[in-house]
Amino acid sequence: MNLDFSFFTSAVIKSFIFKGLIFSFQLTAVAMIGGMILGTFLALMRLSNKYYLSLPSSFYVNTLRSIPLVMVILWFYLLIPLILKRPIGAELSAFITFTFFQAAYYSEIMRAGILSVSKRQMAAGQALGLTYRQCMSYVVLPQAFRNMLPLFMTQTIILFQDTSLVYAIGAYDLLKGFEIAGRNFNRPVEMYLIAAFLYFVICFSLSKFTKLIHQKIKIIH
Amino acid sequence: MIQINNVSKWYDKFQVLNNCSTVINKGEVVVICGPSGSGKSTLIKTVNALEDFQQGDIIVNGISLSQKGIDLPKLRSRVGMVFQNFELFPHLNISENLVLAQIKVLKRQKTEALERGLKMLNRVGLSTHKNKFPGQLSGGQQQRVAIARALCMDPIIMLFDEPTSALDPEMVGEVLDVIVSLAEEGMTMMCVTHEMGFAKKVSHRVIFMDHGAIIEDLKSADFFGNNKKISPRATEFLSKIIQH
């Protein structure tokens, strides 16, 4: 088998790869931020002693975590237009789906994080006159987030890899860029090799970067 | 200033507080002692409503805790509390620990809060540590910061829940010294402790508890002085802990 990478020029990167890379990054960033915010609320609901808050949250989290992402992507893509009575396009659909899907996973991490902070910290905050909400915002959640940062980033790396699943609804992501370029130049093997290498570099750097940040902000006990 | 009237508390069917009554007057230093599991910590925590109770009433500075809809954060902000395990916020440095509640609860300006915080830090002799994190300090230092943090809120009373129990022996003194100096300034205090030497030195009154009930509520001199005045149970307790 002869591998030939000579066709892989900056022009190819510009016209095929770049667009997909940007979309994959955007999708990761939006789903990460949106998912963490939504996930934090889900975690707080689930830890509440009011059943009308905890039950819906655990139903939501358990349901989404039991369904393969590809199916959720497809469902949202087919269902949202039915609800909104107009098509919303593959990309917007992907943003919404990934945010809601990731929220379920982030919420479980956040829940573990909140439980990792001693209850006595909450009591100490309340003894100073802070309200429940203030204790959560300034005392418990910041510690929960720091404790769980490695898990959050692992989940985000998985999220980045999962963005390739938007092929199911035909959105143009990083992998799709490689696939189309490979077909155009009739060099799919080379293209998939480069794609794998690029995914590796990105994910590996992210994980090294996480370690660095974690060292910086981790709590000294 | 604080009235505890016939307070009882149950965890399910297990009674942890049994009809406790006492009054803490302004400027009084009251030490609460007793064997473990006797309800000392629970009693002191009911005073700032960290623990609830099912019967009786507690009146703090004219406010009845059994009422519904009282402004608990406001009340708690005036009742300083120091915990056994310090409970500084480990993700914040010492200055941030000192100013957080001042800014969020008392709505002080940041500069004012910091000034007050550093004054209190200086008072407990740790002003050089203001930029460190709690984890970088020794247990004794952390507990002194915790006392400073409570003092920043201008409390009308200070509650100490076994403030030296989690400390290495050589650090007990530095924390007790701070508490003694507070007592000398006339701060009203309730202190759960096993340090009987300290109790003898600093307290005006001693409350002895067993099985959730207040067995003795005596002037310090009577509690420590004439053993005939106290019950056999308290005598036994005292002899056990003074032995070593």
Side-chain angles (χ1 to χ4, degrees), chain A residues 40-207:
Chain A
T40 302
F41 281 108
L42 284 167
L44 288 173
M45 282 170 70
R46 193 155 180 197
L47 288 170
S48 163
N49 49 17
K50 300 186 177 78
Y51 70 94
Y52 55 85
L53 290 176
S54 59
L55 272 182
S57 168
S58 66
F59 176 76
Y60 176 93
V61 171
N62 288 330
T63 308
L64 276 188
R65 276 161 51 98
S66 333
I67 303 173
L69 177 55
V70 179
M71 277 177 75
V72 183
I73 293 172
L74 274 171
W75 278 3
F76 270 63
Y77 185 59
L78 299 172
L79 279 177
I80 294 173
L82 283 182
I83 296 165
L84 296 178
K85 311 253 187 259
R86 64 187 172 86
I88 57 162
E91 296 189 352
L92 184 55
S93 176
F95 281 122
I96 296 171
T97 312
F98 272 77
T99 303
F100 280 90
F101 188 81
Q102 289 301 321
Y105 282 84
Y106 284 131
S107 95
E108 283 298 88
I109 299 173
M110 203 47 162
R111 187 163 72 108
I114 293 169
L115 291 175
S116 77
V117 179
S118 148
K119 279 209 172 95
R120 298 190 307 254
Q121 284 280 302
M122 175 65 98
Q126 287 181 324
L128 284 165
L130 296 171
T131 61
Y132 174 83
R133 184 185 291 203
Q134 287 173 327
C135 284
M136 270 296 165
S137 316
Y138 306 120
V139 178
V140 179
L141 289 179
Q143 292 185 58
F145 182 77
R146 280 171 171 80
N147 292 346
M148 291 296 129
L149 186 77
L151 282 177
F152 272 124
M153 285 314 286
T154 308
Q155 184 59 37
T156 304
I157 290 168
I158 295 171
L159 159 65
F160 175 71
Q161 293 168 351
D162 281 353
T163 56
S164 55
L165 292 176
V166 295
Y167 78 85
I169 52 174
Y172 196 107
D173 76 311
L174 181 57
L175 191 63
K176 183 93 162 187
F178 279 105
E179 187 200 322
I180 292 178
R183 239 188 282 141
N184 267 12
F185 294 94
N186 204 19
R187 287 276 169 209
V189 177
E190 286 86 342
M191 274 321 220
Y192 282 128
L193 275 174
I194 299 171
F197 179 70
L198 186 58
Y199 273 104
F200 173 79
V201 169
I202 291 171
C203 295
F204 190 74
S205 325
L206 263 175
S207 113

Side-chain angles (χ1 to χ4, degrees), chain A residues 120-121 126-127 129 138 143, chain B residues 73 76 87-91 153:
Chain A
R120 298 190 307 254
Q121 284 280 302
Q126 287 181 324
Y138 306 120
Q143 292 185 58
Chain B
R76 285 175 178 148
E87 301 307 332
L88 294 177
F89 305 134
H91 61 300
M153 308 296 283

Side-chain angles (χ1 to χ4, degrees), chain B residues 216 221-232 234-235 238-239:
Chain B
E216 307 283 359
D222 290 337
F223 188 84
F224 291 107
N226 184 355
N227 277 9
K228 293 215 173 69
K229 278 197 176 176
I230 63 175
S231 63
T235 313
L238 269 183
S239 68

Side-chain angles (χ1 to χ4, degrees), chain B residues 1-103:
Chain B
M1 175 171 283
I2 290 178
Q3 286 178 41
I4 300 175
N5 299 329
N6 305 104
V7 167
S8 293
K9 176 184 172 72
W10 288 264
Y11 287 125
D12 290 325
K13 282 188 181 148
F14 183 71
Q15 188 162 13
V16 278
L17 291 180
N18 185 356
N19 213 19
C20 297
S21 298
T22 191
V23 176
I24 317 288
N25 297 308
K26 193 168 190 314
E28 222 179 357
V29 178
V30 176
V31 159
I32 304 172
C33 60
S36 67
S38 60
K40 316 177 292 285
S41 292
T42 312
L43 181 67
I44 207 171
K45 281 179 184 160
T46 55
V47 173
N48 67 351
L50 281 181
E51 293 275 0
D52 60 357
F53 49 89
Q54 280 84 40
Q55 265 178 28
D57 198 5
I58 296 180
I59 294 155
V60 179
N61 213 21
I63 299 164
S64 157
L65 295 187
S66 63
Q67 274 175 280
K68 284 224 153 102
I70 51 168
D71 188 350
L72 276 184
K74 194 179 165 196
L75 180 116
R76 285 175 178 148
S77 71
R78 303 303 309 280
V79 178
M81 175 126 200
V82 174
F83 297 85
Q84 186 174 355
N85 294 299
F86 335 132
E87 301 307 332
L88 294 177
F89 305 134
H91 61 300
L92 302 176
N93 70 23
I94 302 306
S95 305
E96 290 164 338
N97 264 281
L98 294 168
V99 301
L100 178 68
Q102 291 190 67
I103 293 171

